[in-house]
Amino acid sequence: MRSYRDLFRTPEFSPFFLAASAQTVAQTMGGLALGVLVYRATASPLLSAVSMFGSSLVQVLGATFLLSAADRMPPRAALTALPLLFAAATAALALPGLPVWTVFALVFAKGLVESVGGGVRWGLLNEIVSKDGYLLGRSVFNMMSGLMQIAGYAAGGALVALLSPRLSLLAAAGLYVLAAAVVRLGLTRRPPRTAGRPSAAATWRANALLWSSPPRRRIYLALWIPNGLIVGCESLYVSYDPGSAGTLFACAALGMLAGDVLVGRVLPPRLRHRLGFPLLLLLAVPYVPFLLHPALPLAAAAVTLASVGFGASLVQQEHLVALTPDGLTGHALGLHSAGMLTMQGVAAALAGSVAQLTSPAAAMTAMAVASAGVTLLLMGAGKREERKTVEAGRPAGEGIR
């Protein structure tokens, strides 16, 4: 599979793509509206950040106890039911007078369900396009995510400014229902990828197997930590500049789109495979000057440039798929998704806490420095492992670069 045209000629890819697009717009609209609603009610950067990204905090529970379901449920049924549950939770968040603890209970419940959805979705993508088309397919989904985030934040920002955050939440709930309908009507029934009943024990066994490989372990850490810390920076946009948060979110999505095009379509494989860590550094460095509180045009340019670095995840996911047995593909990709989202939630809470004690600008710089430091440590560990492999007389290349 060599081109985007080939992807969209693949049966079922288009409805699968459209459903995911609607769901992404719903997530961004709903997240921005909820963040504004909580910030208006509490004036707390921490609570605002956690309301937007807090559902990610419970992903670790799903990855620990529920993830075996990703390969053991019929994909179409699962991907129809999940958006309907998200629609119900999002509509409930729009109810007036909802206590803050109820808001966070709904956010965390939604995150627990989402932890399984990532594995189901990306495992199904691997079936629809096959392993040789996974990177190109995931590139298209990442680009879609960037575009739909731009659309979602623009539409959500307009609805919040012109009408109210609650109406934006109701619009997001309607989009979740639309996504469920597209999946139900556009995809065919498939059996589960793995036989047996989902259980915590099956989840633990698969997690232990995936984690036992040093190259896979480094890939997971590189997928989870550096970009999670930068999402902590993004979680502070509302408190950093409440009037321009939508602009900053849109610029971040635009940069992500550019990075996915660069990695997925422009760069040749030989060069692409060497850019995983340099792109992670690019993701962090432009946020360091935020300590000086740059003017909006400079801040928007820095956010756009930094977000190009999110393209590193495509390189790392390609390595992960190549190193994973077919029967565990959904689980492996679900573990990546759940771990990534968990780290994003942890980073949002950490960034909000630092901002509460210092300032949003200082917290953004601190998170960026931490992200760059972790990237350099992982880069050094990968090079040491590669040297040991070469000295032992085995071919190098299993590790991430």
Side-chain angles (χ1 to χ4, degrees):
M1 195 166 292
R2 301 184 176 217
S3 70
Y4 296 138
R5 184 177 298 176
D6 292 339
L7 280 176
F8 284 97
R9 286 175 175 169
T10 303
E12 299 185 85
F13 184 83
S14 292
F16 184 55
F17 178 84
L18 291 172
S21 300
Q23 195 162 321
T24 300
V25 175
Q27 287 171 338
T28 52
M29 285 179 62
L32 179 59
L34 187 61
V36 172
L37 204 61
V38 170
Y39 190 66
R40 287 180 182 176
T42 64
S44 168
L46 172 60
L47 294 180
S48 175
V50 174
S51 70
M52 293 181 70
F53 296 94
S55 64
S56 304
L57 286 169
V58 297
Q59 295 272 339
V60 67
L61 295 178
T64 303
F65 297 105
L66 305 176
L67 198 51
S68 62
D71 289 308
R72 290 172 170 83
M73 292 192 299
R76 187 180 70 171
L79 293 177
T80 301
L82 292 176
L84 293 176
L85 291 173
F86 299 157
T90 304
L93 289 169
L95 293 172
L98 211 60
V100 173
W101 70 266
T102 306
V103 169
F104 284 103
L106 287 169
V107 167
F108 293 150
K110 184 171 176 282
L112 195 60
V113 175
E114 284 175 336
S115 64
V116 177
V120 177
R121 182 178 301 109
W122 305 126
L124 179 58
L125 174 64
N126 198 55
E127 288 186 37
I128 290 174
V129 302
S130 73
K131 276 192 176 183
D132 67 330
Y134 180 81
L135 183 135
L136 192 63
R138 191 62 191 263
S139 167
V140 168
F141 270 83
N142 285 1
M143 286 187 285
M144 172 275 293
S145 179
L147 288 171
M148 294 302 105
Q149 284 181 38
I150 293 172
Y153 285 126
L159 283 173
V160 166
L162 298 176
L163 298 173
S164 74
R166 287 189 171 84
L167 287 175
S168 187
L169 285 166
L170 291 175
L175 285 170
Y176 279 125
V177 173
L178 176 62
V182 172
V183 168
R184 181 64 182 81
L185 298 174
L187 299 184
T188 58
R189 292 181 63 185
R190 281 183 169 83
R193 282 179 290 275
T194 300
R197 297 179 62 182
S199 68
T203 301
W204 297 336
R205 285 195 299 271
N207 286 345
L209 175 61
L210 291 168
W211 195 249
S212 65
S213 163
R216 278 198 299 264
R217 193 159 57 237
R218 283 196 304 277
I219 291 172
Y220 277 125
L221 292 174
L223 282 165
W224 294 342
I225 301 177
N227 68 358
L229 291 168
I230 298 306
V231 171
C233 296
E234 294 181 351
S235 73
L236 296 174
Y237 289 168
V238 170
S239 53
Y240 176 79
D241 190 343
S244 302
T247 299
L248 294 177
F249 277 119
C251 287
L254 179 63
M256 188 186 305
L257 170 64
D260 290 327
V261 172
L262 179 68
V263 173
R265 196 72 182 93
V266 176
L267 295 176
R270 181 181 296 272
L271 179 59
R272 181 177 69 222
H273 291 166
R274 296 183 178 277
L275 288 181
F277 283 122
L279 284 170
L280 285 178
L281 288 175
L282 176 63
L283 186 60
V285 170
Y287 279 100
V288 173
F290 271 70
L291 182 63
L292 304 176
H293 214 296
L296 179 61
L298 291 176
V303 164
T304 304
L305 177 62
S307 297
V308 173
F310 280 115
S313 69
L314 288 175
V315 180
Q316 293 148 2
Q317 286 176 66
E318 186 177 36
H319 285 299
L320 179 61
V321 169
L323 292 172
T324 300
D326 289 340
L328 283 177
T329 300
H331 192 115
L333 294 171
L335 183 60
H336 147 55
S337 179
M340 176 187 69
L341 291 170
T342 297
M343 186 58 205
Q344 289 176 4
V346 169
L350 177 61
S353 299
V354 175
Q356 198 94 346
L357 296 172
T358 57
S359 71
M364 291 166 81
T365 294
M367 301 299 282
V369 170
S371 176
V374 171
T375 296
L376 292 173
L377 288 173
L378 289 171
M379 186 186 301
K383 289 187 178 298
R384 287 193 296 273
E385 181 66 26
E386 189 171 332
R387 281 198 299 271
K388 289 179 183 177
T389 301
V390 171
E391 289 168 2
R394 296 190 302 272
E398 265 197 319
I400 46 178
R401 297 172 181 158

